[in-house]
Amino acid sequence: MFFDFEALQARNRYKLLTATITPRPIAWIVSLNDEGAPNAAPFSFFNVVCADPATICLGIGSHADGREKDTLTNIRANGEFVVNLVSEADAEAMNITAAAFAPGTNELLEAGVSTAPASRIKPPRIASSPVSLECKAVEVVDLSEKNHLVIASILGMHVADHAIKNPERYWIDTAKLELVGRMESPGWYVRTRDRFMMKVPEAGGQTPDGV
């Protein structure tokens, strides 16, 4: 069946996209407002898009009433934020921070989440996250009145010690991160325990590039 996106309402496009483009990594973002108060919220329209320079993209929609989300307001104001990846152990806390709290609420306190200092930026990282990316916004593209795209550089990465195989060779034991991903709405997630490997075959004697 073909779905013509130009003929569909936005909510129906959303249903199709989130039910099929899965699993999606979760960016559990910590940012600071002008007064230095922290905000935490998860976003699954997110991924790394380049390694040189190290770059991520992040889609942020508005609240149902049209208000801009605090995360985007904070990024516009100072450009700095931390992307924390979500482990299975943190899934419930992450879900609490997804609630529509009143502006100025410290979601980290509401979820009982502890933080640790970042190395190069002011917003803190979530201490229990197995991977935290310190980011600086490069550009915010207003795709529409309600949807916005943040392009950001990764300034540095924190990885939990227990998941590092060989720091000199930058080898990470990804399975030990125990990350979760976002599936379809409403409320479905996936674990990353069930994995399989396939090696890219050589073609014409050429060593394949990484997928």
Side-chain angles (χ1 to χ4, degrees):
M1 181 177 290
F2 173 71
F3 296 95
D4 186 348
F5 272 35
E6 292 185 356
L8 295 181
Q9 294 181 338
R11 68 172 182 271
N12 293 327
R13 294 196 296 267
Y14 176 85
K15 288 165 66 176
L16 290 168
L17 290 169
T18 58
T20 56
I21 301 177
T22 58
R24 299 186 303 280
I26 303 168
W28 197 9
I29 293 181
V30 176
S31 59
L32 297 177
N33 66 15
D34 287 338
E35 288 73 44
N39 174 269
F43 299 88
S44 67
F45 282 8
F46 150 75
N47 219 315
V48 61
V49 294
C50 184
D52 187 16
T55 306
I56 62 163
C57 279
L58 170 71
I60 302 179
S62 298
H63 289 288
D65 62 6
R67 290 182 298 114
E68 187 170 279
K69 291 186 176 178
D70 291 345
T71 297
L72 182 59
T73 299
N74 296 345
I75 291 174
R76 289 192 195 275
N78 56 57
E80 296 184 341
F81 60 99
V82 180
V83 170
N84 304 277
L85 302 186
V86 181
S87 68
E88 186 177 352
D90 280 336
E92 290 189 14
M94 175 275 297
N95 194 45
I96 291 172
T97 66
F101 291 105
T105 301
N106 186 336
E107 293 87 355
L108 296 167
L109 289 178
E110 295 290 337
V113 174
S114 298
T115 61
S119 295
R120 296 188 58 185
I121 60 177
K122 292 181 180 179
R125 58 190 175 90
I126 292 174
S128 56
S129 173
V131 181
S132 297
L133 312 175
E134 298 187 18
C135 299
K136 181 75 173 180
V138 174
E139 185 177 2
V140 177
V141 181
D142 296 315
L143 302 173
S144 68
E145 290 185 1
K146 293 186 177 181
N147 289 283
H148 315 274
L149 177 68
V150 177
I151 303 169
S153 295
I154 303 171
L155 305 181
M157 172 188 287
H158 301 261
V159 181
D161 291 342
H162 74 272
I164 299 177
K165 283 184 177 180
N166 186 323
E168 287 76 26
R169 303 189 71 175
Y170 309 100
W171 284 0
I172 306 298
D173 189 339
T174 302
K176 289 185 177 180
L177 301 176
E178 297 184 342
L179 298 176
V180 296
R182 190 72 165 93
M183 294 294 286
E184 72 272 26
S185 296
W188 286 97
Y189 293 84
V190 65
R191 299 178 178 89
T192 52
R193 297 176 186 169
D194 183 15
R195 305 185 302 160
F196 64 96
M197 177 184 285
M198 292 190 299
K199 293 185 177 180
V200 178
E202 294 186 6
Q206 298 296 317
T207 302
D209 292 331
V211 175

